[in-house]
Amino acid sequence: MNVKQLRIFLAVAHTQSFAEAGKLVHMSQPAVSLSIKSLEDSLGGRLFTRTTRSTLLTAEGQKLLSMAKSLVDAWDKVENELKQRFTLDRGKIAVAVMPSFAASLMPKVLMYYRQKNPNISIEIHDVLTDTVVEMVRAGNIEMGISFEPENTQDLNFQALFNDRFIAVMHHNCSLKNEKELTWKQLLECDFITLQKPSSVRNLIEMALAKEGMELHVAFDAHQLATVGKMVSQGLGVAVVPALCEAQMREQGAICLPISAPIISRHVGIITKAKVPLSIAAQEMIDTLIETFKNISVH
């Protein structure tokens, strides 16, 4: 039994005529008769009683009628939804995004995506960098935007731009008038950073260790927004991705570049290796790539 046979069955049941049913399904009367016979043979009995004047459903045909309607309706619904998804007329995409990107650059990307695909629903999970990687790796989400993971064995990473870390400080800090700061200057101040095992903190500590310097932390927090609040209260200085610059300035902090050593990290798209993406997700990736060809990050 297949959907084509069911459509022919429903046409015959509706018209009570093999000839009229043929017109509905664009088939000849003999072809309709052959299809019904094949359906009856596969099911093991007659679905219609035919006389010279009428074609009526048997009791078994009546039983099949309601089920056939439900099956064909479900088939049409699935077929229509998939066609809409392939043409991006319908669908949903979920993206995991690290908070610094979600708050600064993601709105522009979403605007471009929405202009091209107004019928796609978008769900943004603004979660910590490590959580973005975990969600993609576990298959809970199709794609994420974050710093390049240290372990990409089962992941694909496509870089969008390089993010250089910057120093942030209170407007009364003695370093505020410098054009560029060194780590030696920063480490003489009370230092505020993210809690372990934050990838940002790990990156800072590893970069300093290569230069023979040690990070002494006065305060740490779980979110960069909290770090910014601490800086704005004059509790110390911090080093954050340049993606956070607008957010830090809004909280009243002063932002300056750092040298010796320069710390930077690629920001890009994370997907699971060897797993095909939905049309909507691939369209989001194309939008991200196109967006960062045409705009300056900093």
Side-chain angles (χ1 to χ4, degrees):
M1 185 169 64
N2 58 55
V3 72
K4 183 179 180 181
Q5 289 175 322
L6 291 179
R7 291 189 195 281
I8 296 169
F9 166 79
L10 289 173
V12 176
H14 175 69
T15 61
Q16 297 184 346
S17 165
F18 279 64
E20 292 300 317
K23 294 176 182 178
L24 287 180
V25 296
H26 308 290
M27 293 172 63
S28 66
Q29 182 177 340
V32 170
S33 298
L34 186 62
S35 178
I36 293 299
K37 184 177 186 308
S38 175
L39 179 59
E40 290 175 332
D41 289 345
S42 69
L43 294 176
R46 297 177 66 184
L47 300 170
F48 294 97
T49 57
R50 298 176 66 180
T51 68
T52 55
R53 294 185 177 181
S54 65
T55 300
L56 300 175
L57 287 165
T58 63
E60 291 76 17
Q62 287 285 358
K63 183 67 175 178
L64 177 61
L65 181 61
S66 60
M67 291 187 289
K69 287 179 179 178
S70 297
L71 288 168
V72 171
D73 287 345
W75 179 279
D76 289 342
K77 183 178 179 181
V78 170
E79 186 177 39
N80 184 54
E81 182 171 336
L82 284 173
K83 284 179 179 178
Q84 288 181 326
R85 285 178 178 270
F86 279 122
T87 57
L88 294 174
D89 287 331
R90 185 178 179 181
K92 181 177 182 179
I93 179 176
V95 187
V97 188
M98 61 180 180
S100 55
F101 190 98
S104 57
L105 298 175
M106 197 64 193
K108 184 182 289 290
V109 175
L110 293 176
M111 181 185 69
Y112 292 153
Y113 187 89
R114 191 72 169 175
Q115 287 172 349
K116 294 188 293 181
N117 309 290
N119 297 319
I120 302 296
S121 300
I122 306 168
E123 184 179 291
I124 299 297
H125 296 262
D126 49 340
V127 294
L128 296 178
T129 299
D130 297 328
T131 306
V132 172
V133 177
E134 290 169 6
M135 291 179 74
V136 175
R137 180 166 275 139
N140 298 328
I141 208 158
E142 281 191 277
M143 59 177 291
I145 303 170
S146 186
F147 292 119
E148 183 173 9
E150 294 179 8
N151 177 12
T152 58
Q153 184 177 359
D154 57 342
L155 301 171
N156 292 327
F157 179 80
Q158 187 166 3
L160 293 171
F161 59 88
N162 195 44
D163 191 38
R164 177 174 170 175
F165 284 32
I166 58 171
V168 292
M169 64 206 66
H170 189 264
H171 58 81
N172 287 333
C173 179
S174 60
L175 301 174
K176 67 177 183 179
N177 294 321
E178 299 287 336
K179 291 184 179 180
E180 189 173 73
L181 297 174
T182 65
W183 274 97
K184 184 178 179 180
Q185 290 173 298
L186 289 169
L187 294 178
E188 289 174 354
C189 305
D190 287 336
F191 200 86
I192 307 168
T193 189
L194 291 175
Q195 294 172 354
K196 292 182 177 181
S198 158
S199 59
V200 169
R201 178 160 176 175
N202 289 341
L203 191 66
I204 291 172
E205 288 182 335
M206 286 189 295
L208 292 178
K210 289 179 181 178
E211 301 294 323
M213 291 184 277
E214 187 177 352
L215 181 65
H216 296 284
V217 177
F219 303 96
D220 60 15
H222 192 59
Q223 297 280 359
L224 282 169
T226 307
V227 170
K229 285 289 186 182
M230 290 180 175
V231 171
S232 68
Q233 293 298 313
L235 292 174
V237 301
V239 171
V240 301
L243 274 172
C244 304
E245 182 170 351
Q247 179 185 10
M248 296 298 163
R249 290 189 185 278
E250 286 174 3
Q251 293 179 344
I254 292 173
C255 302
L256 293 174
I258 310 170
S259 62
I262 294 172
I263 300 177
S264 64
R265 196 167 179 184
H266 284 110
V267 175
I269 305 160
I270 303 171
T271 55
K272 196 165 184 179
K274 300 180 181 179
V275 175
L277 297 171
S278 66
I279 301 295
Q282 186 58 57
E283 181 74 7
M284 177 61 77
I285 289 175
D286 294 343
T287 301
L288 282 160
I289 293 170
E290 187 62 29
T291 299
F292 288 97
K293 282 182 182 177
N294 300 323
I295 68 172
S296 175
V297 177
H298 307 310

